Amino acid sequence: MADPSSYRPKPGEIPDSPGVYKFRDEHRRVIYVGKAKSLRQRLASYFQDLANLHPRTATMVTTAASVEWTVVSTEVEALQLEYSWIKEYDPRFNVKYRDDKSYPYLAVTLNEEFPRVQVMRGAKRKGVRYFGPYGQAWAIRETVDLMLRVFPVRTCSAGVLKNHQQKGRPCLLGYIGKCSAPCVGRVTAEEHRELAEEFCDFMAGRTGTYIRRLEKQMTAAAEEMEYERAARLRDDIDALRRALEKNAVVLADATDADLMALAEDELEAAVQIFHVRGGRVRGQRGWVTDKVEAVDTAGLVEHALQQLYGEERGESVPKEVLVPALPEAADTVGQWLSERRGAQVSLRIPQRGDKKDLMETVQRNAQQALALHKTKRASDLTTRSRALEEIAEALGLDSAPLRIECFDISHFQGEDVVASMVVFEDGLPRKSEYRRFQIKGRVGDTQVWHGEGQDDVRSMHEVISRRFRRYLAEKDRTGEWIGADDPGEQDAMPGAAVDPSHPAHPGVPAGPDGRDEQPAPATDDDGRPRRFAYPPQLVVVDGGQPQVAAARRALDELGIDDVAVCGLAKRLEEVWLPGESDPVVLPRSSEGLYLLQRVRDTAHDFAIRYQRSKRTKRIRTSPLDAVHGLGERRKQALIKHFGSVKRLRQATIEQICEVPGMGRKTAESVVAALAAAAPAAPAVNTATGEIMEENDGGSTA
């Protein structure tokens, strides 16, 4: 625990101007980001008697080891920079709203030649028009199904579109009139895009224009005695009205507004947002957050507005934003919202009428969301705290293990041996710091095993050694550990040596995408978490006494004695400690056991997914993969030209050179690679005696 006076800046050093400030811990990780109209006044409020501070603020300033700031010209710039830094650094003491689920949107891909209507989740993409979010995906599909009668826009995937373009005939939707069939040229690209834009206009709330137009067309068709056409138009109008009925009118005058309400207690807060477009509720979403900083309702509203509109532009920001309390700098936030919309945005509290009534409905939804969240065991802050305390008590730790790392080994019949590392901080998964390892069979300068068969114990020893060698190397490089000023002590540290277990980057395990982790950047002051730079308080291994002993031995060899180790055996869910002949048995109803099981199961699933992906990649290898400089496009061109690897193997260099993009040197490399990979004898089906032809797709085992 640091003394805030040890890093308190001198009063004259802090400018009296708007800006954004960052508190960092002893590892240089950013733990809190804030903004201020006057940096001097705001920072001074943190460096006072701890007894006068809010308990959460006191915890933050005693965890921090330094503070720095950036001066900006306006408060709007400070608001934008604060949002950017919170998103970039993910500070543990800032309020961060967590989506209780990934909400589906109705999306129109206007960035494609033939725009597609579909359900989308996740991050928004450039060039795609979004409507929603919706509570359920089926609600989107029902709406789309009704509207395709009037706006027959493409809904098929790119693969299906290409397939029907090649076949020259449309899909079923094209035959029944729910797709304009641009794949076979029934409409031009321009006509199809116009349909998609009309679809977007209708979804955006401009509904009266289209219904009135269809009614006029229906009347005209009836007067001309085209009764079949009039009947189709009547059904189209009915379909549009049924689609509109799914979103009841809640506000008059075609109001475009977002309504936000909050429900909170001492520890947590829930926010609910209703998106009203054209006077109708077009979407709803909600977030929940732990109140890790001392913040009131106005502060929670400001954080929610930052998260809701931080990535939005144009019409995604409504004309009106109705909130339960105005932020402290309401004018600044309103100006920021107006800049993002490109037009004036009204930020206010509804006082009377329909908008106040609807706000009460949103408020009830927020209260229900908070009550439901409280029942979710894994996300309950109180439950997580109790679980960490139970683990500390059961393992004899001095304090609760706020950072837990769990390791698991996975293989398939002794091949493709991999390991996983998952990280839980404050009882919640921190997926950005998950890591995957390829087991090489070496630790340090010693060949500990040769890979014959499979040995989970030796694999566990290797992966723990590699992970903590990297940690010690980081400390050695940054001089964060005691004795870093003494060159002799640095040379003697185990972390000063590199791990040659990896051929390309010694001591560096594979990253989340399966590729090798690159060394950490030389810059230490960027605030981003350096890979493997932060030690856990507890290492959990998936296994029993042998795996625990291997992990403890690896740490002892590196001179690390301040990290606890335990193992969780699947058979009886027993907790094993190093050097103990009997396991620790936690009650089945223990929150601590539940958390350990969740950590272990997460590591197990992560390892299995990586191992399966490696096995699949190995099975799908091709002889062409060995040709240096031959990319995926030219591989596909070769297979398409010759039809199969078998026919390609029979081709001459001159014939290969006829393929577009293939030079003679590359053709010679292809011939050499295929000759080296040629099978010694044809494969035979032992059941029938049939000689099996080589796979035409070019994949081999």
Side-chain angles (χ1 to χ4, degrees):
M1 181 179 292
D3 182 0
S5 62
S6 63
Y7 62 89
R8 177 177 184 173
K10 297 179 181 178
E13 295 177 350
I14 308 175
D16 188 18
S17 57
V20 184
Y21 54 91
K22 295 180 286 191
F23 281 87
R24 298 177 182 267
D25 63 11
E26 59 181 346
H27 299 292
R28 300 292 298 161
R29 177 161 47 175
V30 176
I31 62 172
Y32 184 74
V33 173
K35 65 170 178 22
K37 183 177 181 179
S38 170
L39 286 170
R40 180 177 299 173
Q41 294 180 13
R42 177 61 58 83
L43 290 178
S45 67
Y46 290 101
F47 298 99
Q48 54 179 298
D49 188 352
L50 293 178
N52 297 330
L53 294 176
H54 189 282
R56 297 188 184 94
T57 305
T59 302
M60 187 274 292
V61 296
T62 53
T63 303
S66 63
V67 63
E68 57 192 53
W69 55 86
T70 298
V71 176
V72 296
S73 56
T74 66
E75 293 180 58
V76 175
E77 288 184 24
L79 184 68
Q80 181 61 47
L81 183 58
E82 180 193 33
Y83 168 75
S84 300
W85 279 358
I86 290 175
K87 183 179 178 183
E88 179 178 0
Y89 297 124
D90 191 23
R92 60 173 296 192
F93 285 101
N94 275 95
V95 165
K96 295 180 289 294
Y97 290 101
R98 303 186 301 274
D99 268 323
D100 53 9
K101 56 184 171 181
S102 176
Y103 288 94
Y105 285 83
L106 172 58
V108 184
T109 58
L110 296 174
N111 56 346
E112 297 182 356
E113 180 185 8
F114 300 116
R116 176 190 178 193
V117 175
Q118 64 183 114
V119 177
M120 274 193 181
R121 299 177 186 265
K124 293 187 176 181
R125 306 174 188 174
K126 188 176 181 180
V128 179
R129 187 81 180 272
Y130 290 89
F131 302 96
Y134 288 78
Q136 302 290 339
W138 57 261
I140 302 178
R141 296 188 178 98
E142 284 189 356
T143 300
V144 171
D145 186 64
L146 291 169
M147 294 183 60
L148 287 180
R149 286 186 54 92
V150 187
F151 308 105
V153 186
R154 166 196 159 215
T155 57
C156 61
S157 66
V160 173
L161 175 68
K162 183 178 180 181
N163 185 29
H164 285 281
Q165 285 175 330
Q166 294 172 346
K167 290 180 179 179
R169 64 175 185 268
C171 64
L172 176 62
L173 291 179
Y175 282 114
I176 65 176
K178 288 193 173 182
C179 179
S180 55
C183 54
V184 294
R186 284 187 185 174
V187 295
T188 64
E190 291 74 18
E191 291 171 337
H192 186 267
R193 180 169 294 276
E194 185 177 348
L195 272 176
E197 290 174 350
E198 289 179 349
F199 180 96
C200 292
D201 288 343
F202 189 88
M203 289 300 301
R206 293 181 277 275
T207 59
T209 303
Y210 294 101
I211 292 180
R212 285 193 296 269
R213 187 178 70 186
L214 291 176
E215 288 175 341
K216 289 180 181 178
Q217 292 175 1
M218 180 183 67
T219 303
E223 290 175 352
E224 296 173 5
M225 291 186 291
E226 296 180 4
Y227 298 119
E228 291 184 1
R229 181 168 176 265
R232 286 197 301 269
L233 290 170
R234 178 202 61 200
D235 293 341
D236 290 346
I237 295 171
D238 183 59
L240 290 181
R241 284 176 173 163
R242 278 187 287 140
L244 289 175
E245 287 171 1
K246 292 181 176 295
N247 303 110
V249 176
V250 291
L251 296 176
D253 304 326
T255 301
D256 289 346
D258 283 351
L259 290 86
M260 177 185 299
L262 284 162
E264 57 182 306
D265 58 19
E266 287 297 319
L267 300 176
E268 294 175 306
V271 61
Q272 283 285 311
I273 302 103
F274 277 23
H275 302 278
V276 179
R277 299 294 183 270
R280 300 174 183 271
V281 177
R282 297 289 186 179
Q284 175 186 357
R285 66 193 305 183
W287 298 312
V288 179
T289 183
D290 295 331
K291 295 172 71 173
V292 292
E293 61 174 299
V295 61
D296 56 9
T297 302
L300 290 171
V301 168
E302 183 175 323
H303 287 304
L305 292 173
Q306 284 181 310
Q307 178 151 332
L308 185 60
Y309 303 113
E311 303 294 328
E312 303 294 344
R313 291 283 184 181
E315 293 185 357
S316 297
V317 182
K319 298 176 183 178
E320 262 187 297
V321 179
L322 306 178
V323 294
L326 290 176
E328 181 180 348
D331 293 340
T332 301
V333 176
Q335 185 180 347
W336 175 70
L337 291 172
S338 299
E339 289 181 0
R340 306 204 71 79
R341 176 177 170 83
Q344 185 64 34
V345 175
S346 172
L347 177 66
R348 62 189 185 87
I349 303 172
Q351 300 294 336
R352 63 183 67 86
D354 294 339
K355 293 179 181 178
K356 184 179 180 182
D357 293 341
L358 182 57
M359 178 65 83
E360 292 175 355
T361 301
V362 183
Q363 176 68 33
R364 287 195 296 272
N365 276 264
Q367 292 170 346
Q368 292 173 2
L370 182 61
L372 179 62
H373 173 76
K374 284 294 186 183
T375 65
K376 293 182 179 178
R377 186 178 187 181
S379 298
D380 191 337
L381 178 62
T382 304
T383 303
R384 295 201 313 270
S385 300
R386 184 165 66 251
L388 293 173
E389 291 172 359
E390 288 181 2
I391 292 173
E393 182 179 355
L395 305 185
L397 306 181
D398 295 332
S399 59
L402 297 181
R403 180 182 173 103
I404 300 174
E405 292 181 3
C406 184
F407 297 83
D408 186 31
I409 308 297
S410 181
H411 67 96
F412 180 72
Q413 296 180 350
E415 296 184 348
D416 299 321
V417 186
V418 300
S420 67
M421 179 187 97
V422 301
V423 180
F424 275 58
E425 287 193 352
D426 297 329
L428 292 174
R430 194 175 182 88
K431 295 184 179 180
S432 62
E433 297 193 21
Y434 287 9
R435 293 293 180 265
R436 303 186 295 196
F437 300 76
Q438 299 183 45
I439 301 301
K440 304 298 181 181
R442 296 178 64 96
V443 177
D445 297 323
T446 305
Q447 180 79 25
V448 296
W449 59 296
H450 299 281
E452 294 89 353
Q454 197 279 332
D455 192 327
D456 281 357
V457 175
R458 288 173 177 161
S459 298
M460 186 64 71
H461 180 274
E462 176 186 335
V463 71
I464 296 291
S465 298
R466 286 168 59 185
R467 184 267 180 267
F468 283 95
R469 279 180 181 273
R470 181 60 185 271
Y471 160 60
L472 293 176
E474 286 288 347
K475 296 186 74 174
D476 185 14
R477 183 176 62 79
T478 59
E480 292 179 3
W481 47 273
I482 298 174
D485 296 331
D486 184 350
E489 288 191 31
Q490 287 191 25
D491 293 339
M493 285 294 292
V498 297
D499 182 0
S501 62
H502 196 283
H505 305 292
V508 183
D513 57 359
R515 294 176 295 183
D516 296 325
E517 288 286 357
Q518 300 298 321
T523 303
D524 295 325
D525 296 331
D526 59 358
R528 298 177 182 85
R530 296 188 303 276
R531 296 184 178 98
F532 303 101
Y534 305 109
Q537 285 81 47
L538 175 63
V539 166
V540 180
V541 299
D542 184 4
Q545 196 173 26
Q547 287 83 358
V548 173
R552 184 70 265 174
R553 186 171 68 254
L555 293 175
D556 291 341
E557 290 170 358
L558 296 173
I560 297 175
D561 57 4
D562 57 349
V563 176
V565 178
C566 76
L568 186 62
K570 291 188 181 71
R571 188 171 66 90
L572 297 175
E573 303 294 4
E574 301 164 327
V575 179
W576 289 90
L577 297 177
E580 298 291 335
S581 57
D582 297 319
V584 176
V585 179
L586 294 174
R588 289 290 178 177
S589 60
S590 166
E591 295 292 344
L593 178 60
Y594 170 75
L595 178 57
L596 289 177
Q597 289 172 330
R598 186 179 175 212
V599 171
R600 188 269 316 278
D601 293 343
T602 303
H604 183 68
D605 293 343
F606 194 44
I608 285 180
R609 288 199 303 271
Y610 182 37
Q611 188 273 326
R612 287 175 177 168
S613 68
K614 281 180 62 65
R615 187 171 80 248
T616 301
K617 184 177 180 181
R618 176 170 56 83
I619 292 173
R620 292 180 178 176
T621 56
S622 165
L624 296 177
D625 295 340
V627 181
H628 179 70
L630 187 64
E632 194 62 35
R633 287 188 178 181
R634 289 201 289 176
K635 288 180 191 176
Q636 293 175 0
L638 284 171
I639 297 299
K640 184 177 180 180
H641 183 84
F642 291 100
S644 69
V645 173
K646 179 182 179 181
R647 295 191 183 98
L648 176 59
R649 184 177 282 121
Q650 297 169 352
T652 64
I653 293 176
E654 287 72 19
Q655 290 172 328
I656 295 176
C657 289
E658 295 175 1
V659 179
M662 295 297 297
R664 186 172 185 84
K665 186 175 181 181
T666 305
E668 292 173 353
S669 300
V670 169
V671 171
L674 292 177
V684 177
N685 187 324
T686 57
T688 64
E690 178 186 5
I691 296 178
M692 301 173 65
E693 294 290 334
E694 184 175 3
N695 189 331
D696 284 346
S699 297
T700 67

